[in-house]
Amino acid sequence: MRITIRDVQAMKSRGERISMFTAYEYTTAKLLDRAGVPMLLVGDSLGMTVLGYNSTIPVTLDDMVHHVKAVMRGAPRPLVVGDMPFMTFQVSESQTVANARRLLQVGGCQAVKLEGGVRVASTVKRLVEAGIPVMGHIGLTPQSVNELGGYRAQGKTAEAATRLLLDAQALEEAGVFAVVLECIPTP
């Protein structure tokens, strides 16, 4: 039986550690499923790790749907989260809902992940209102590599850490079920 968002929330309530691994294709997904991993992310990082791009920017929604479908075939038990690639959630809320719907309906995943905090909170809220579970992602956000000036740790100053906290709070208020914190200082 597939793990659900409610199962993940129950695990958190019980104080359990919750692991999530990235999978891009059937074989890895199958191995992670057999290992008992409860959540899998089909990340747009496949652009760099599988497709040979130098960033995640060229990854398309078609690429993501293709890889989500492969992971779904290999992993019948974990909650699978599909990444929303660059410019699939920044144009309009209606287009974002249509793109996320495609990842769920055609790809088969149970949730989507998108990058950003305060500036995407209204979009997250719209997705959640449409019945699409959302995982947030703050800190080092690879789709913003050109804006950030490279792949660098984020939140290293008091001001930057405060922005991260505000981003996390905005995502929580918008209804995300989880947040990826990438490349930020532990404190």
Side-chain angles (χ1 to χ4, degrees), residues 4 14 18 26 28 65 90 96 101 103 116-117 128 130-131 139 149 182:
T4 67
R14 292 189 300 265
I18 306 167
Y26 174 85
T28 301
V65 168
Q90 294 96 333
T96 299
R101 175 204 54 80
L103 273 175
V128 171
E182 184 172 349

Side-chain angles (χ1 to χ4, degrees), residues 17 38 48 53 65 67 99 102-103 106-107 111 117 128 131 135 142 153 165:
R17 290 183 181 250
M48 298 168 77
Y53 298 130
V65 168
H67 287 271
N99 291 336
R102 189 155 172 248
L103 273 175
V106 179
V128 171
M135 175 181 282
L165 181 59

